[in-house]
Amino acid sequence: MFEYLQKNLNKALYILKGNNKITEINIVETLKEIHRALIDADVSYKIAKTFVQKIKEKSIGRKVLTSLNPKQLIIKIVYDELVLLMGEKKMDINLSNNPSIILICGLQGSGKTSFSSKLAFFLRKKNKTPLLVAADIHRPAAIDQLKIMGDKENIPVFFLRESKSVIEIMEKSFIYASEKKHNVIIIDTAGRLSIDQIMMDEIKKIHQYSQPSETLFVVDAMTGQDAINTVQVFSKYLNIDGIVMTKLDGDSRGGVAITMSSVVGKPIKFISNGEKVEDMEIFYPERIANRILGMGDIISFVEKVQEQFDEEKTKKIYRKISKNRFDFEDLLEQIQQVKKIGSIKNIVSMIPGMANFFVKDKKDSLNQIESIILSMTPYERNHPKVFTDDIRRKKRISKGAGVTLMDMDLFLKQFYNISRMMKTIKENSGKEIIKNFLSKIINKENNNMH
Ligand SMILES: Nc1nc2c(ncn2[C@@H]2O[C@H](COP(=O)(O)OP(=O)(O)O)[C@@H](O)[C@H]2O)c(=O)[nH]1
Ligand SMILES: [Mg+2]
């Protein structure tokens, strides 16, 4: 979806590889490339310029911490700026009313009807009972389209084939919804080729009558900068609560998606990337920034892993962490849990680049860590510090595990880093700690690739 931007930003960041200091000189080239990557991805000139300026201000003169290299530091700065640009936090839709009425509007062909059925499908999975309402009175085929999509997923669709009054459709659909106890009503409206008076009058009438909890405006990402203009014009007439951006699977370059919310001041709430009913997701600025920077969707990955984790064991580990006693035995347990999930490669493939790493690195880092720990005595497993400055011990283990002394040192360094980090997050919940812990491990491995 954002591969294009991802590829070019990574190229830009590659310049810093191997440098151990950020200077005015080596950053200039990088910033120039970042600027170019943004423009190529259809980010407006003004935004690209400000973006690069901010990266520059934040990076020059910054001390690079010993555990980071300059490239990692810049990635972090770019990441933070991207998240800010995209609106920072994900914005939920308001579903607190019963029924919650969601009004879907947008130009013709933007994807309103498809999105309406996708949203209904999505909400039903969240235990809602949505009703789809066909309120496009201009194209008779619009009813059939919504009906076919609804029927396929067993989602009821309300329509009045003969009616030419949107108000009548509203009125009757609301009565129907209350009889059938639908707690969400999704209204699919008619679009036009461009925003005109007739369309606006009609949508305003629907809006006034239905008093929606949520008004969503659907835009086609493939229309590029025009998508931004359309939202700006529309929201002058009618206050919208959020934007749905569709067709991000097309050859859209993603720039519009990342800049939309800061330009128009309204959040993107959903994105759609295909024609199938499940091709839709909530817009999470942080996760998308992660994907764009090739760090993959680490949070989604971690959550997926976490779902499979044994709550009891998690609690136990939490207790150990809070007593500052996380040791190799615990790490081994974590690794074995991750492996228990089955095909780690499958989960790992959610992270671009990560899959590559696993294929390329035949040693398979998890197995390697596991064999290192298995080569330790129980005493050593419970006393991680015994290895500090004890080269004979380290040699013995590395021999037993069939790894080099360098691998062993790298592993110990990572482990001590993780333990140090854990101390600082003691206040968090157990879940958070495991989440952080895993993403740290994954990040580490990912960082090795850069
Ligand atoms: N590839 C792709 N096609 C989409 C997406 N959303 C909608 N479409 C297609 O775009 C066309 C117009 O969609 P439709 O929902 O009828 O738009 P409406 O006129 O706004 O109701 C249809 O052919 C859809 O299948 C998307 O995210 N990706
Ligand atoms: Mg339609």
Side-chain angles (χ1 to χ4, degrees), residues 126-145:
K126 306 231 170 288
N127 294 322
K128 296 283 181 188
T129 51
L131 173 69
L132 284 163
V133 176
D136 183 344
I137 50 172
H138 302 282
R139 291 187 319 145
I143 294 178
D144 300 322
Q145 191 194 354

Side-chain angles (χ1 to χ4, degrees), residues 420-436:
R420 208 173 321 127
M421 183 199 68
M422 282 177 167
K423 279 180 218 157
T424 66
I425 50 174
K426 255 195 290 196
E427 306 300 314
N428 294 357
S429 72
K431 254 188 167 179
E432 276 299 306
I433 289 184
I434 299 303
K435 208 155 131 180
N436 274 317

Side-chain angles (χ1 to χ4, degrees), residues 187-398:
I187 307 171
D188 177 30
T189 64
R192 295 285 190 288
L193 290 175
S194 63
I195 294 171
D196 62 18
Q197 203 56 47
I198 305 171
M199 173 192 184
M200 289 318 301
D201 287 346
E202 184 179 296
I203 201 83
K204 269 186 184 163
K205 221 158 67 179
I206 299 177
H207 188 267
Q208 219 157 38
Y209 184 84
S210 62
Q211 301 283 320
S213 339
E214 192 74 36
T215 304
L216 297 177
F217 189 76
V218 181
V219 280
D220 176 343
M222 293 179 64
T223 59
Q225 289 292 323
D226 265 354
I228 294 183
N229 300 335
T230 309
V231 178
Q232 274 173 327
V233 173
F234 189 87
S235 53
K236 271 196 206 126
Y237 288 97
L238 193 71
N239 184 34
I240 60 171
D241 301 296
I243 298 159
V244 176
M245 190 165 283
T246 61
K247 307 189 196 176
L248 275 161
D249 53 319
D251 63 2
S252 119
R253 310 203 142 167
V256 176
I258 61 168
T259 55
M260 175 68 92
S261 82
S262 56
V263 177
V264 304
K266 295 285 176 191
I268 295 181
K269 294 196 173 177
F270 295 97
I271 49 180
S272 150
N273 58 347
E275 300 196 46
K276 289 201 294 293
V277 70
E278 63 272 15
D279 293 334
M280 180 202 73
E281 50 185 275
I282 297 176
F283 186 75
Y284 287 98
E286 293 170 353
R287 296 186 186 188
I288 289 173
N290 259 332
R291 269 191 234 172
I292 291 174
L293 290 171
M295 292 151 78
D297 196 346
I298 288 168
I299 302 169
S300 304
F301 164 75
V302 168
E303 272 174 6
K304 196 140 239 158
V305 173
Q306 208 181 341
E307 278 169 19
Q308 324 271 341
F309 263 64
D310 188 321
E311 273 293 317
E312 266 314 298
K313 283 188 176 159
T314 306
K315 275 193 201 132
K316 193 186 104 197
I317 288 188
Y318 173 51
R319 279 197 298 275
K320 292 198 82 169
I321 291 170
S322 58
K323 285 189 190 129
N324 229 334
R325 297 220 348 245
F326 186 82
D327 60 26
F328 292 126
E329 199 68 53
D330 303 315
L331 180 60
L332 186 64
E333 206 167 79
Q334 294 292 304
I335 290 173
Q336 284 168 345
Q337 286 221 42
V338 171
K339 290 177 78 173
K340 209 170 61 187
I341 296 164
S343 167
I344 178 122
K345 275 213 184 94
N346 239 345
I347 304 170
V348 157
S349 67
M350 287 172 63
I351 310 174
M354 190 63 182
N356 250 346
F357 178 78
F358 265 77
V359 177
K360 261 192 292 194
D361 187 355
K362 291 200 181 52
K363 274 184 269 177
D364 191 334
S365 55
L366 283 186
N367 279 339
Q368 184 176 321
I369 294 172
E370 199 180 358
S371 56
I372 290 177
I373 300 174
L374 288 172
S375 304
M376 295 175 185
T377 64
Y379 179 83
E380 286 165 340
R381 289 185 206 180
N382 295 323
H383 298 85
K385 289 282 168 199
V386 291
F387 290 102
T388 328
D389 298 326
D390 192 338
I391 189 117
R392 279 182 49 203
R393 234 186 246 277
K394 285 194 277 194
K395 266 190 182 153
R396 196 190 82 237
I397 305 291
S398 64

